[in-house]
Amino acid sequence: MSEQQPPAVSVIMPVLNEERHLRTSVRHILEQEYAGELEVVIALGPSTDRTDEIAAELVREDPRVHTVPNPTGRTPAALNAAIKASRHPIVVRVDGHGMLSPNYIATAVRLLDETGAQNVGGIMHAEGENAWEQAVAAAMTSKVGVGNAAFHTGGAAAPAETVYLGVFRREALEQQGGYNEEFIRAQDWELNFRIREAGGLIWFSPELKVSYRPRPSVKALAKQYKDYGRWRHVVARYHQGSINLRYLAAPTAVVAIAAGLVAGAAVTPWGLVVPAGYLAAITAGSVPAGKGLPLKARVQIPVALATMHMSWGFGFLTSPRSLAKKVIASRREPVRAG
């Protein structure tokens, strides 16, 4: 990749009901500090808000912005449709509520060149716009909330199993046939797994940062994390070597708390020690996580933590084997170059 003539870049965006953040997200792309050619391809799901109207305005306002339909509303189908409609050698994934830092694309292109990686990604930097979202953002960037996941909490640049969003060489996407559309969630992990199995490098760098807007309510956060847990169990069944203790913490907590509540109600009050201990732990953990935030946000951090843990664990425990079997049946073998 020549520094004199940076490679052209396609930014692909799967969007559904993103009226609140879409315009700002696209502005962060179009205002990138990058000298190369740039296009934005927005894959539009069946939104029920003003997302399509806003996207049409963006197309009229800037010739670099294009849209393609995604009638299924599924994220991997949207990504594949946008990849097919795009044309440049570097492909950047951005979600409709993600805000790229000003030098994100330039840094990612440099890292692809320096590392020889097929995909690079960085930190999912959660930022809230009100007290609840600030509480969720604090929970999502705390080890109490998400363990030691580098793309949430940061870490040293290094090879990774998967990365947040991703900046790909087009040849890697085309070689693997894009995303597996049976993976409604965890499609990034599955694609990166195939890239790695084919001999490619996935690279994490804290130099790359995307500001992320958290879900706006307890209900929306609970659904998000239930889906995360549900699909993480699918991944564990799809690739049995991918599970570790961090992924078992939330389902273990759900089982232990449920057992403690039942024992406390039916057998002995001592059973309540487990749920009480959990509440004490997340309350204590919320203190450093909420440092510098307004009181209204700080007091909601334990609610955010409990919602994330319990929903993730419940989703993991209730993930049906039939879903994993369907996904396993769609397995694509990694494709090696040549």
Side-chain angles (χ1 to χ4, degrees):
M1 299 176 188
S2 168
E3 291 183 5
Q4 286 73 34
Q5 189 175 4
V9 170
S10 297
V11 181
I12 58 172
M13 301 183 70
V15 301
L16 180 69
N17 293 325
E18 291 286 1
E19 68 173 2
R20 184 177 170 192
H21 300 300
L22 180 58
R23 176 171 287 279
T24 306
S25 181
V26 171
R27 177 172 57 79
H28 277 75
I29 297 166
L30 298 176
E31 294 178 356
Q32 283 288 295
E33 297 170 359
Y34 185 67
E37 186 179 349
L38 189 70
E39 69 171 352
V40 182
V41 181
I42 304 171
L44 295 170
S47 296
T48 55
D49 61 8
R50 295 184 59 251
T51 296
D52 287 10
E53 182 182 336
I54 294 168
E57 292 172 357
L58 291 167
V59 170
R60 289 193 297 269
E61 292 165 7
D62 196 304
R64 294 174 292 175
V65 181
H66 315 281
T67 61
V68 292
N70 173 36
T72 69
R74 293 182 170 188
T75 299
L79 291 166
N80 284 342
I83 291 167
K84 185 177 180 180
S86 66
R87 55 197 174 90
H88 294 322
I90 304 298
V91 179
V92 179
R93 175 182 171 177
V94 180
D95 287 343
H97 46 271
M99 314 295 163
L100 300 185
S101 52
N103 63 348
Y104 181 89
I105 291 177
T107 302
V109 170
R110 172 176 60 79
L111 289 171
L112 286 172
D113 196 19
E114 291 176 354
T115 64
Q118 301 299 307
N119 180 21
V120 298
I123 294 174
M124 176 184 178
H125 183 66
E127 293 182 332
E129 295 181 327
N130 56 44
W132 165 250
E133 291 179 3
Q134 289 170 345
V136 176
M140 291 180 71
T141 53
S142 163
K143 290 187 177 181
V144 176
V146 295
N148 61 352
F151 71 83
H152 281 297
T153 61
E161 281 192 358
T162 190
V163 290
Y164 179 54
L165 300 178
V167 177
F168 298 84
R169 299 178 190 268
R170 177 178 292 278
E171 62 198 37
L173 293 172
E174 293 182 344
Q175 181 180 315
Q176 299 304 327
Y179 292 85
N180 183 334
E181 295 186 13
E182 292 298 334
F183 274 80
I184 309 306
R185 297 287 185 274
Q187 64 277 154
D188 296 312
W189 181 92
E190 193 277 336
L191 174 59
N192 286 318
F193 171 75
R194 279 185 282 135
I195 291 173
R196 288 187 292 106
E197 288 291 294
L201 173 66
I202 310 300
W203 187 260
F204 166 82
S205 173
E207 290 185 76
L208 297 172
K209 186 171 78 172
V210 181
S211 294
Y212 168 88
R213 299 295 186 257
R215 296 298 193 269
S217 67
V218 172
K219 181 179 179 180
L221 182 68
K223 182 182 186 305
Q224 178 187 19
Y225 271 78
K226 186 190 78 172
D227 287 345
Y228 282 171
R230 176 185 177 99
W231 281 91
R232 182 62 236 189
H233 205 162
V234 171
V235 167
R237 287 165 169 158
Y238 182 92
H239 178 49
Q240 294 182 359
S242 69
I243 202 70
N244 61 42
L245 292 178
R246 178 167 68 88
Y247 296 123
L248 297 177
T252 300
V254 170
V255 172
I257 289 169
L261 290 172
V262 170
V267 182
T268 171
W270 285 105
L272 299 177
V273 168
V274 174
Y278 171 77
L279 288 175
I282 62 173
T283 300
S286 71
V287 174
K291 187 177 180 180
L293 292 180
L295 177 61
K296 189 175 180 180
R298 295 202 304 270
V299 298
Q300 296 185 77
I301 294 175
V303 179
L305 287 169
T307 301
M308 291 161 56
H309 294 160
M310 296 299 101
S311 300
W312 201 102
F314 179 78
F316 188 95
L317 291 169
T318 59
S319 182
R321 286 187 176 273
S322 58
L323 179 59
K325 288 180 179 178
K326 180 181 178 183
V327 167
I328 291 169
S330 73
R331 186 190 299 270
R332 298 181 183 179
E333 294 303 317
V335 179
R336 293 184 177 272

